[in-house]
Amino acid sequence: MAVASDPSEELVALAAEAYVYGYPLVFDLSTAEDFMQVGVGPLAPTPFNHFAHPDRSADPGTPCASGVDDTLCSVAQLDLSGGPIRLHVPDTGGAYYVLQFVDTWTNNFAYVGRRATGTDEGDWLVVPPGWAGSEPAGVRGVIDAPTSVVSVVGRIACDGPDDVERVRALQKQLTLTHLEPGTHRTGLPAPDNDVPEQLRFFEQLRVWMADFPPAAADCAYQDRFQPLGLLEEGPSPYVSSDPVLVRALVEGMERGRARVAEAGRPGAVDGGRWVMDPHLFDYNLDRFGVGTIDSPEWKMADREASYLVRAVAARVAPWGTHGYEAVFAHTSHDADGRRLNGAHSYVLRFEQPPPVGAFWSLTMYDAPDGRLVENPARRYAIGDRTPGLVRADDGSLTVHLGKDRPADPAAAANWLPAPDGDFRPVLRLYTPGRAVLDGSYRIPAVERG
């Protein structure tokens, strides 16, 4: 009997589906490994159950694209396999902060911080799936983790280089303590090193799916991947795979990767319109804990469609928050549809300040690299906390964007330096108002001055 030499279209299509479905899990845990083993950007390598903090606020020297100047980040990878972890948070005196809890499938399942729980000092207990212990005295509440590994992404408002010491003092008070004696692993389950590199993604997905199962409805969906070997236990099926399966996996991965890239590509927009999606992270359909909003408004209606959205979010905006916590908007064109470039000067006029519950900031990045812009003023962002801003008699605020400092003192006070070439400003809205979320607030277009 002849043996098929080429994979069927059905097998290739299934492999493409598996790539889209599994990309967020592989991305998340690969990133977690990087945090622990080599560090990421300004964060030094840090083991499980410890916070990593940057040693300075972001600047053009920060080795990480799209640095943020308005907050300082703190990141911890939690391992709950040895039992619950007690989290201590400081009193920030009303200052904005958020700790975002992300499971291994990139679902935001809990928030602690000003919007969600206030700014008082306190302790929280983060517990593994299925934990049935007793809550100790003195904790404010329990955070039920859907997976035994969790990423905690913290952001504390920082008013620039002169405010770093205050934020550092708060970061030092973020602590993680084992509640019970237990064995905590030092690394993630390891894929088989004998698997060929071209199949490594699927080997990672196979191993990590088994160790970090998703919600029940997703488990039922991933049963369809049995023909790909993704549900095999024990030794890897990819060490010596059928050549037909290998070709199906490789071709399917290429097709799935292209699908995610295409879905994440910005579509055509009107001249000057800011790109913003408050619902990019609504793919969490099952796991709602402390600080989340469990309502249809913040859930995608189509579960299978949510897998592609989740993959796009992991690719273009990893570890972003729900829109009710923060919304980021960006633009690369002026009101007439021309690309923003440092050869020209621009104005951005806010008739009314952006509606936010916390604060807003506008950060300048070069394009296409997305790095902060070196400038003699050492100003990388401007916002409602920037001292010395000049507003017009009617209360409006005009921000001046350009390479050269404006000659007029009032304009210079409101100046956000731009690079020589193309640039892309990003407007961050922390705890955005209802008008931002329902689309009734429209960010004004950048106009050439």
Side-chain angles (χ1 to χ4, degrees), residues 3 58 112-113 154 181 188 207 240 276 286 311 422:
V3 177
V112 168
L188 295 171
V207 171
S240 299
M276 176 176 67
D286 308 284
D422 292 346

Side-chain angles (χ1 to χ4, degrees), residues 7 14 39 50 114 126 148 155-156 163 196 201 235 258-259 282 301 333 387 430:
L14 190 63
H50 291 80
R114 190 172 112 166
V126 189
S148 60
R155 301 173 182 89
I156 303 178
D163 193 36
F201 171 88
R259 187 180 301 167
D282 290 2
H333 297 82
Y430 292 89

Side-chain angles (χ1 to χ4, degrees), residues 113-124:
R114 190 172 112 166
R115 176 199 60 83
T117 59
T119 63
D120 292 342
E121 182 179 10
D123 287 8
W124 297 87

Side-chain angles (χ1 to χ4, degrees), residues 43-349:
L43 301 174
T46 306
F48 271 129
N49 302 330
H50 291 80
F51 274 104
H53 312 293
D55 59 2
R56 65 182 188 275
S57 61
D59 58 36
T62 302
C64 183
S66 297
V68 179
D69 188 51
D70 54 21
T71 59
L72 281 186
C73 65
S74 298
V75 176
Q77 305 299 331
L78 304 190
D79 167 47
L80 304 171
S81 62
I85 299 291
R86 188 166 183 151
L87 163 70
H88 179 78
V89 297
D91 182 350
T92 67
Y96 177 84
Y97 86 99
V98 62
L99 295 178
Q100 165 195 358
F101 294 77
V102 189
D103 72 11
T104 58
W105 293 87
T106 71
N107 294 301
N108 297 319
F109 68 89
Y111 297 94
V112 168
R114 190 172 112 166
R115 176 199 60 83
T117 59
T119 63
D120 292 342
E121 182 179 10
D123 287 8
W124 297 87
L125 192 66
V126 189
V127 305
W131 184 75
S134 299
E135 179 181 332
V139 300
R140 292 182 57 184
V142 172
I143 297 173
D144 290 294
T147 53
S148 60
V149 166
V150 168
S151 297
V152 183
V153 185
R155 301 173 182 89
I156 303 178
C158 181
D159 293 340
D162 295 338
D163 193 36
V164 168
E165 289 307 314
R166 177 192 66 85
V167 177
R168 278 181 178 165
L170 293 173
Q171 289 176 319
K172 290 177 182 178
Q173 298 176 64
L174 288 170
T175 60
L176 297 163
T177 308
H178 300 304
L179 182 65
E180 307 162 347
T183 301
H184 293 260
R185 56 188 157 202
T186 57
L188 295 171
D192 192 323
N193 287 329
D194 291 330
V195 170
E197 183 61 30
Q198 62 181 344
L199 299 183
R200 181 171 174 76
F201 171 88
F202 289 103
E203 171 66 0
Q204 290 174 312
L205 181 56
R206 181 189 74 88
V207 171
W208 290 339
M209 276 199 322
D211 236 56
F212 308 104
D218 292 342
C219 281
Y221 176 85
Q222 71 185 26
D223 284 346
R224 68 201 289 116
F225 302 135
Q226 178 70 57
L228 302 175
L230 286 171
L231 304 185
E232 295 290 329
E233 299 179 358
S236 174
Y238 304 127
V239 173
S240 299
S241 293
D242 184 311
V244 174
L245 177 59
V246 172
R247 284 193 290 273
L249 292 172
V250 172
E251 186 177 335
M253 182 167 62
E254 292 173 354
R255 190 181 298 183
R257 185 182 291 124
R259 187 180 301 167
V260 175
E262 179 61 28
R265 186 172 293 116
V269 298
D270 298 334
R273 187 169 73 83
W274 293 72
V275 177
M276 176 176 67
D277 186 357
H279 296 285
L280 180 59
F281 299 93
D282 290 2
Y283 50 78
N284 176 18
L285 306 178
D286 308 284
R287 298 166 163 182
F288 296 88
V290 172
T292 60
I293 298 178
D294 183 0
S295 73
E297 178 186 2
W298 298 103
K299 297 179 186 178
M300 291 191 63
D302 186 329
R303 180 176 293 271
E304 290 196 21
S306 75
Y307 301 141
L308 180 58
V309 175
R310 183 176 66 181
V312 169
R315 182 177 184 272
V316 304
W319 290 349
T321 66
H322 280 98
Y324 48 77
E325 184 66 45
V327 170
F328 298 168
H330 63 90
T331 187
S332 299
H333 297 82
D334 66 18
D336 296 317
R338 298 169 296 196
R339 184 169 291 279
L340 299 173
N341 188 279
H344 307 281
S345 296
Y346 303 87
V347 295
L348 175 60
R349 188 173 189 270

